[in-house]
Structure formats: C-alpha cells, structure tokens
C-alpha cells in the first residue's frame, strides 16, 4: 500500500512541471500557433526562478523568496514568448523554426547569464528557501490518500487549480470561444470582428508565462539550483502531452499525469532486486517509448486545430 | 553587369547576408552589455579558426558534420517535411559504425567501408520509421522525431553497456584500427588534426544532392510533393512511398555523420546524457542555406567555423562561448523571418528612388 501511495505522490511531483508547460502549450496552440519553444520557456523559467530566489534570499526575504522567484519566472519568460510571438505572428516565420530559435536562444543566453552573474560557475548557487511539501490539515491524515494526494508541493495545488481555470475559460466563456475560433477558422473569426493576431499574441505570451511556471517548479522543488541539465527535454515531453491530450486542457493534464507516472515508476521500481537487473536506461526510455506506442496505437489520428501552423494574413481572406 | 545588379537586388542574397551581419552585431552588443570587449572577442575567434595548421584542420573537422546535417534536413524540407530527428539518426549511425568497428574483424579499408555503410543504413532505417509512422498512423513527424531521438540515445547506452563497455569510463571500447577512416599523412600535414575520408565524401554528397534533386526522377517527385502534395498525388505520384524514401535518405545522411564521427574522429562512442545537438544545428544550416547545395555548403562552413572559433573566445577575451550560440540563434531568427529583413531593406531601397525623381 505504501508503495502505491508513494507512487501516486511521486506521479504528482513529476507531473506538476509538465502540467504547467502543457497548459501553456494548449493555450497557444489552440489559437493556431505551434509551440516548440516550450522547452525554452521552461529553461528561462527555471533560470529566472533560481536567480531571483537566490537574490531574494540574500536580501533577507526568507520564506517569500521562492514566490518572488516564481513571479520573476513568469515575467522574464515574456521576453522569449514575445520573440516567438513576433517571429511567428508578425513576421509569419515558420512556427516550428521559431520555436527552435527560442529554445537555442533561451539555452545559450541563460548559461551566458549564469556565467556572467556567478563568476564563470556552471550553475546557480544552491537555494535554501525552496518549496516544501504542504500537508493539508485533516485531509493529510487520511490513511492512504493523505500521503498519496494531500501532501504535495504548493506548486502542485496551483497547477491543479490552473487546469480547472484554463478549462473554464476555454470552454465556458466568450473569450474561450474566440480563442478556439481563431485556431479553427481565423478568416471566419475575423469576419465576426475578432482580432485574430491580437488574440494569438496574447495566447502565446500567457502560455509562455504558464510554461515558465513549469521550469520554476523544477528549479524550486526537485532541484535547488539551475544548471544545464535542469530541464533536459521536459519541454518536449510537455509538447507530446499537448498532442496526446488532443489540445484540451483536461486531456493535457491527464497526459502529464501519465508521463509523471512513468517517471515515478522509474524511481520506485529501482528499489526492487528484480528491477536492478534491468539496465536503468530502460526506465529512462520508458516515458518516450510509451508515448510513442500510445500515440501510434491507442490515440489514433490526432488532428489539432485546423489553422495550426498557418500564419494569418487578413489581406488573403 | 546586369546579373550582378539583379543579384544585389534579390532578397535571396540579402536575407542570409543581413541575418549574419545582424547576428554578429547583436552578439557584440550582448558582449558590451556583459562588460566584455567584442572586438577582442571576434578577433580571437578568427585567430582560433586560422591560427595554426592544426586549428585549420580541426575547423574543417567541425564543418563536415554540420554540412551533412544541413543536407539531411534540407532533403526532407524540399519534400515539405520536417526532420528534427537527425539527432537520433546520428546516434543510430554512430552505434551501427561502432558495432561493426568494434565487434567484427575485417581487413583494413574494407572494414571502414562496411562500417560506414552499416552506420548509414542504421540511420536510414531510423529515419524511415518517422515517415512510416506518419503515413500509416498519421503521427506528426515532429513528435515522433523527438521521441525517437531519446529512444535512440538510450538504446545506444544499453547496447554499449551490454556489449562494449570500457570499464571505469563512460564510453565504449574503441573501434579496431582496421576500421579507422583517418588519413594519416593528411592529418600529419595539419599538425595532427583529425582529418578523415569524410571530407572527400562530403563533397560528393553536395554534388549528389544537387544532381538527385534536379536531374533525377526521384528528385523531381520529391520537389513536386514539396510544392503541392495534393497536386502530386493527383498527378499519380505515390506520396507515401516518396515520403518514406525521402526520410530514408535523410536518415542515412544523419547516419553517415555518426559513422564519420566514430570512425574518423573519436574512435569510441560516449555514454552522454544528451544527444550532440548537431542535428538541431542542421536545421539552422539548411534554413540559412535555403536548402540548396551551395547554400548548405556556405552556411555549414560558417557555423562550423563559428563553433570552433568560439573556443578561442574564452581564452583570448574571457567571453563565454555561449555568446556564439546566441549569435547563431539570432541569425536563424532573421533567416526564418525574412519579413523582418525586408522591412529593413524597404527603408534603404526607397532612398535612391527619391534621388532619381
């Protein structure tokens, strides 16, 4: 029983960053902008969270420091989501390439900054004031569920609330209707008086800030610094979660939980003797292999918003 | 004279040139902001590239995989497809070449040839998986490429650790000497720089790419699909098999990169936590080179030289080499968003007209 509840708890720990990043991806892609830059947004988020928290801590802000870090992650990442928005919406660049540019730029500029700020160091200083798990009073003493679900990092709770919020906005408000219309039929939306490119720009910016929260989560919970290996590919898994979840916030949430589970399984399975004879690489490979197999055999043809990847040119309507 | 004037007015020349200029300028601004001396930095970059015969040789070594990676991406691009899986194809090619080089005994020369071919075959098969998934199951190639990159990396770790582990290190055993494709006398001439037969093969690949695309039926079909998939299908072309064939070729070029790196440069394969990044750089090379043979050659040369020279910047001017990666990403940004450059050009081009009037 303990193992199972640890497994569920671990699933949420690993899934949280992916939930943020994939929600960010859903928001942008639903309006028609492909987002390969999720990795870069996470890198930028993790970097700014780690640096801001470090400085806040040195300035004596104590327990408030990681929250300042989270806020900085969202603000700083606007630079990178802004670049993606300008390239892909204003200048109509190929959106896949624009995302790759963001990834390259985020990786190179953050490591440059780390070296600049910390005298050539390869990673940011270790942060003392990272997030700790919150046990919800009362609920956390329920035998099985208490440990499994009601003892988690604050970021996990925020992520869960955000899933509900994004879902509500997207499917229950006029704004959500406009966002989806822009992704499906930009021409028709324009005729109906919706500012297509403005909505897309805001969606990419907001999505980027939410994805940055994913990076901040990793830097401030699982790790306690920012280094080259902090994100390593999580953004791409989040992108897979967007597609796996069929561009729906709840679907992306489910897919993130699934990938989180695959990673938690890796940690739990290695405790057993029988598992030790299996090369660790098999466990590392598991999330990617399972994603591929599921996309191939279980999901079927997943088609995104019909205008995904197409820049909108009002003149061509 | 008229041709020259037309060339000077055409965007296809100005966009890459201005992208490079802007990239280098912004790089200088970043260095200034960080308190470094950009002139000294760029000077030590150039000195590193041409500093000694050894440096020239090693710069050339750095250029070869970038040109090939650019070709691998470009051939898929021309068919209207995205291959961001070159990373994984390089890993599989390395693995194939390593297995032949380490686990099989063959006479010299033949051993190298077989290892290169097996590496290319591994990469080709890995690449065609992407197209097969796309054609048979409708799986987006970007996603399957990303997954296959990681899967390839971990497969290589498992194979190396199981069959070719070098105790106490995080790398494989070396290949047998008979499988080496280094050119000893040329290497001596360049002060021991790791120069290999891949240098000559890459020239054939560039010519071959041009010939394939413009002079063969398969190349014609590829371009037709790239221009308009539906029209090509209507004209009776088998779009599915063209996609699989193209991804096989693209992947085989990726596999070739891996073969060269193992057989000609490193002699072993590292158990690295990440893929090399050359495959992603290939996207930049193809884009800046506008998917043409000459363009890929020029942009691959530029990026290879910049990467090698960046090492000199940290010695000469104490500048972190990440600056060069920033410069390269800015170059790609402008190459990918030609509308941004056209905006600049418009401002400059109006002026002479006014003078005429």
């Amino acid at each position: 029983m303990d193992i199972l509840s640890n497994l569920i708890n671990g699933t949420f720990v690993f899934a949280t960053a992916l939930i943020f990043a994939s929600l960010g991806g859903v928001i942008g892609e639903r309006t028609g902008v492909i987002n390969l830059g999720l990795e870069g947004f996470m890198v930028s988020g993790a970097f700014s969270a780690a640096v801001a928290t470090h400085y806040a801590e040195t300035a004596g802000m104590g327990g408030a420091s990681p929250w300042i870090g989270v806020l900085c992650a969202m603000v700083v990442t606007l630079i990178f989501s802004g670049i993606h928005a300008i390239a892909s919406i204003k200048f109509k660049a190929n959106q896949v390439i624009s995302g790759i540019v963001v990834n390259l730029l985020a990786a190179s500029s953050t490591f440059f900054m780390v070296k600049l700020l910390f005298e050539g160091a390869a990673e940011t200083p270790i942060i003392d004031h990272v997030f700790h798990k919150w046990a919800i009073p009362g609920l956390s003493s329920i035998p099985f569920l208490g440990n499994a679900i009601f003892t988690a990092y604050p970021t996990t709770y925020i992520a869960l609330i955000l899933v509900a919020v994004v879902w509500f906005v997207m499917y229950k408000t006029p704004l959500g209707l406009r966002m989806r219309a822009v992704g499906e039929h930009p021409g028709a939306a324009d005729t109906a008086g919706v500012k297509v490119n403005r909505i897309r720009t805001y969606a990419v910016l907001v999505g980027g800030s939410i994805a940055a929260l994913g990076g901040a989560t990793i830097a401030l919970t699982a790790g306690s610094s920012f280094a080259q290996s902090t994100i390593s590919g999580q953004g791409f898994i989040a992108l897979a979660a967007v597609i796996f979840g069929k561009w729906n916030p709840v679907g992306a949430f489910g897919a993130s939980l699934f990938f989180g589970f695959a990673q938690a399984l890796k940690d739990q399975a290695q405790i057993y003797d029988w598992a030790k004879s299996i090369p660790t690489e098999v466990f590392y490979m598991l999330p990617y292999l399972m994603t591929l197999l599921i996309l191939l055999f279980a999901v079927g043809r997943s088609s995104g918003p019909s205008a995904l990847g197409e820049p909108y040119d009002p003149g061509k309507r | 004279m008229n041709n020259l004037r037309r060339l000077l007015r055409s965007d296809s020349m100005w966009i890459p040139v201005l992208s490079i200029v802007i990239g280098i300028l912004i790089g200088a601004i970043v260095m200034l902001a960080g308190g470094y001396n950009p002139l000294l930095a760029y000077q030590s970059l150039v000195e590193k590239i041409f500093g000694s015969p050894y440096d020239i040789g090693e710069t050339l070594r750095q250029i070869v995989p970038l040109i090939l990676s650019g070709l691998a991406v470009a051939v898929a691009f021309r068919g209207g497809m995205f291959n961001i899986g070159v990373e994984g194809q390089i890993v599989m090619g390395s693995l194939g070449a390593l297995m032949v080089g380490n686990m099989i005994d063959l006479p010299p020369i033949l051993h190298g040839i077989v290892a290169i071919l097996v590496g290319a075959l591994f990469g080709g098969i890995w690449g065609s998986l992407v197209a097969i998934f796309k054609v048979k199951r409708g799986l987006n190639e970007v996603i399957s490429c990303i997954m296959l990159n990681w899967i390839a990396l971990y497969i290589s770790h498992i194979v190396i650790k199981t069959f070719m582990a070098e105790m106490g290190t995080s790398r494989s055993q070396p290949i047998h000497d008979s499988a080496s494709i280094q050119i000893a006398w040329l290497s001596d001439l360049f002060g021991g720089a790791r120069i290999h037969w891949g240098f000559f093969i890459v020239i054939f690949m560039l010519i071959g790419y041009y010939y394939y695309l413009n002079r063969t039926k398969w190349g014609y079909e590829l371009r037709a699909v790239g221009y308009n998939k539906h029209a090509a299908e209507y004209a009776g072309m088998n779009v599915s098999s063209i996609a699989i064939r193209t991804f096989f070729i693209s992947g085989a070029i990726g596999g070739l990169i891996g073969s060269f790196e193992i057989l000609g440069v490193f002699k072993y394969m590292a158990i690295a936590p990440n893929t090399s990044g050359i495959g992603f750089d290939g996207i930049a090379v193809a884009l800046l080179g506008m998917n043409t043979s000459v363009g890929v050659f020029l942009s691959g040369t530029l990026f290879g030289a910049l990467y090698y020279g960046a090492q000199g910047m940290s010695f000469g001017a104490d500048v972190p080499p990440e600056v060069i990666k920033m410069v390269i990403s800015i170059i790609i940004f402008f190459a990918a968003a030609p509308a941004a450059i056209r905006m600049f050009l418009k401002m400059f081009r109006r002026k002479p007209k006014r003078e005429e009037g």
Side-chain angles (χ1 to χ4, degrees):
Chain A
M1 266 318 243
D2 267 0
I3 296 153
L4 194 61
S5 92
N6 282 342
L7 193 60
I8 296 173
N9 194 284
T11 300
F12 278 102
V13 170
F14 287 114
T16 303
L18 295 175
I19 296 171
F20 282 126
S22 59
L23 276 184
V26 166
I27 293 170
E29 295 220 341
R30 208 52 207 249
T31 66
V33 185
I34 298 175
N35 211 332
L36 238 68
L38 288 179
E39 175 85 4
F41 299 156
M42 286 183 86
V43 167
S44 141
F47 161 80
S48 6
V51 171
T53 308
H54 168 73
Y55 283 122
E57 197 174 74
T58 339
M61 309 286 268
S65 315
W67 294 105
I68 293 169
V70 164
L71 201 66
C72 280
M74 294 184 78
V75 175
V76 172
T77 304
L78 286 176
I79 299 172
F80 295 99
S81 48
I83 289 172
H84 185 50
I86 290 173
S88 53
I89 298 166
K90 184 168 169 44
F91 292 128
K92 300 179 175 49
N94 181 316
Q95 295 172 2
V96 173
I97 294 171
S98 164
I100 290 170
V101 168
V102 166
N103 291 341
L104 278 175
L105 203 59
S108 52
S109 57
T110 52
F111 299 134
F112 175 71
M113 288 297 287
V114 167
K115 284 184 179 170
L116 197 66
L117 292 173
F118 305 107
E119 281 127 28
E123 61 179 303
T124 62
I126 302 292
I127 304 157
D128 289 325
H129 289 90
V130 288
F131 286 123
H132 297 287
K133 283 186 183 172
W134 285 359
I136 295 185
L139 291 174
S140 59
S141 45
I142 300 173
F144 175 80
L145 294 173
N147 173 38
I149 297 174
F150 298 113
T151 311
Y153 291 109
T155 44
T156 305
Y157 299 123
I158 297 173
L160 294 177
I161 294 167
L162 208 56
V163 172
V165 171
V166 173
W167 176 84
F168 182 81
V169 169
M170 211 166 251
Y171 291 99
K172 300 287 167 196
T173 65
L175 174 66
L177 183 65
R178 289 197 188 121
M179 285 170 66
R180 287 181 288 136
V182 162
E184 293 294 339
H185 292 287
D190 193 0
T191 315
V194 177
K195 299 258 183 287
V196 174
N197 285 341
R198 189 180 296 174
I199 288 202
R200 284 185 172 175
T201 306
Y202 287 140
V204 170
L205 291 176
V206 171
S209 288
I210 293 177
L213 287 177
T217 299
I218 294 179
L220 298 175
T221 59
S224 44
S225 69
F226 170 76
Q228 202 145 14
S229 59
T230 303
I231 302 301
S232 65
Q234 298 275 316
F236 289 114
I237 299 194
L239 185 69
V242 172
I243 294 169
F244 189 7
K246 300 205 165 180
W247 291 270
N248 178 316
V250 179
F253 166 66
S256 301
L257 282 186
F258 169 77
F259 295 137
F261 176 76
Q263 289 190 46
L265 198 65
K266 172 185 80 189
D267 278 13
Q268 291 293 314
Q270 282 170 291
I271 298 169
Y272 299 102
D273 283 337
W274 60 265
K276 278 180 186 148
S277 58
I278 302 172
T280 45
E281 278 80 10
V282 173
F283 291 105
Y284 287 131
M285 191 159 67
L286 215 55
Y288 306 100
L289 195 61
M290 291 206 293
T291 312
L292 194 61
L293 292 177
I294 285 178
L295 288 174
L296 277 177
F297 298 110
V299 178
R301 285 177 188 267
S302 63
S303 55
S306 23
L308 190 62
E310 287 170 20
Y312 179 64
D313 186 353
K316 278 190 190 160
R317 189 168 77 205
Chain B
M1 202 53 204
N2 252 341
N3 276 339
L4 188 69
R5 193 172 293 162
R6 204 174 300 142
L7 188 68
L8 284 175
R9 287 210 167 169
S10 74
D11 288 349
S12 61
M13 196 195 90
W14 282 111
I15 287 164
V17 169
L18 283 177
S19 302
I20 295 165
V21 172
I22 296 172
I24 288 172
L25 281 177
I26 296 182
I29 294 169
V30 168
M31 283 188 261
L32 272 177
Y36 301 105
N37 180 347
L39 285 178
L40 184 65
Y42 283 132
Q43 189 192 335
S44 29
L45 179 136
V46 175
E47 273 168 13
K48 179 73 181 169
I49 299 170
F50 300 106
S52 67
Y54 173 80
D55 283 328
I56 295 171
E58 283 287 302
T59 305
L60 291 173
R61 173 188 72 73
Q62 188 101 35
I63 288 168
V64 170
L66 286 170
I67 291 178
L68 285 174
S69 180
L71 282 183
V73 176
V75 73
F77 248 139
R78 290 300 283 265
M81 290 170 292
F82 231 118
N83 184 4
I84 64 171
V86 179
E87 288 285 291
Q89 292 141 22
I90 293 174
V91 170
M92 291 315 271
S94 304
L95 189 63
L98 178 73
M99 286 164 75
V100 173
N102 176 267
M103 295 162 77
I104 296 176
D105 280 312
L106 281 173
I109 299 175
L110 183 68
H111 200 172
I113 293 172
V114 173
I116 290 176
L117 291 177
V118 169
L121 184 69
F122 269 46
I125 291 171
W126 203 249
S128 48
L129 283 182
V130 177
I132 292 169
F133 293 165
K134 187 184 163 95
V135 169
K136 302 273 185 222
R137 306 289 311 175
L139 184 56
N140 182 301
E141 74 252 41
V142 172
I143 286 298
S144 54
C145 278
I146 291 166
M147 297 301 137
L148 285 171
N149 286 347
W150 290 100
I151 293 170
L153 180 70
Y154 293 123
I155 287 179
S156 78
H157 290 183
I158 294 169
V159 172
I160 291 171
K161 283 186 180 171
T162 315
F163 300 106
M164 294 169 285
E166 179 89 321
M167 285 304 152
T169 64
S170 59
R171 57 165 85 156
S172 75
Q173 294 165 1
I175 56 162
H176 298 173
D177 283 339
S178 52
S180 167
I181 58 165
Q182 279 191 355
I183 311 168
W185 61 267
L186 205 59
S187 189
D188 289 341
L189 209 67
F190 280 101
R194 293 162 290 183
I195 294 197
H196 52 79
W197 283 106
F199 287 87
F200 300 97
I201 298 173
V202 82
I203 295 166
F204 281 107
M205 297 295 295
L206 282 164
I207 299 167
Y209 172 76
Y210 176 83
Y211 185 82
Y212 177 80
L213 216 58
N214 300 303
R215 297 277 185 276
T216 66
K217 176 172 165 272
W218 280 10
Y220 175 75
E221 286 180 341
L222 175 67
R223 284 184 293 139
V225 172
Y227 282 131
N228 191 332
K229 195 169 131 186
H230 302 291
E233 197 154 25
Y234 190 68
M237 292 179 191
N238 187 341
V239 173
S240 300
S241 73
I242 294 169
I244 296 172
R245 180 204 298 156
T246 303
F247 256 96
F248 181 86
I249 294 170
S250 181
I253 300 173
L256 214 53
I257 300 171
S259 302
F260 291 164
E261 296 286 280
I262 297 299
L263 305 169
V265 180
F266 294 107
K267 306 276 176 79
Y268 61 83
M269 192 169 170
I271 302 175
N274 245 315
T275 47
S276 62
I278 297 171
F280 286 116
D281 293 333
I283 299 168
V285 173
L287 184 72
L288 191 67
M290 297 186 164
N291 304 317
T292 64
S293 240
V294 177
V296 165
F297 170 76
L298 290 174
S299 61
T301 304
L302 174 77
F303 286 169
L306 285 178
Y307 273 141
Y308 186 72
Q311 299 168 20
M313 282 180 21
S314 28
F315 290 117
D318 206 26
V319 178
E322 276 81 14
V323 171
I324 285 304
K325 292 215 164 154
M326 289 172 76
V327 169
I328 287 178
S329 35
I330 293 160
I331 295 176
I332 311 167
F333 173 89
F334 285 102
I341 301 266
R342 284 202 189 96
M343 223 169 63
F344 276 115
L345 284 178
K346 252 186 201 162
M347 292 191 299
F348 285 107
R349 278 186 186 157
R350 270 197 200 130
K351 279 179 194 162
K353 269 189 188 161
R354 265 185 219 142
E355 282 164 19
E356 279 167 30

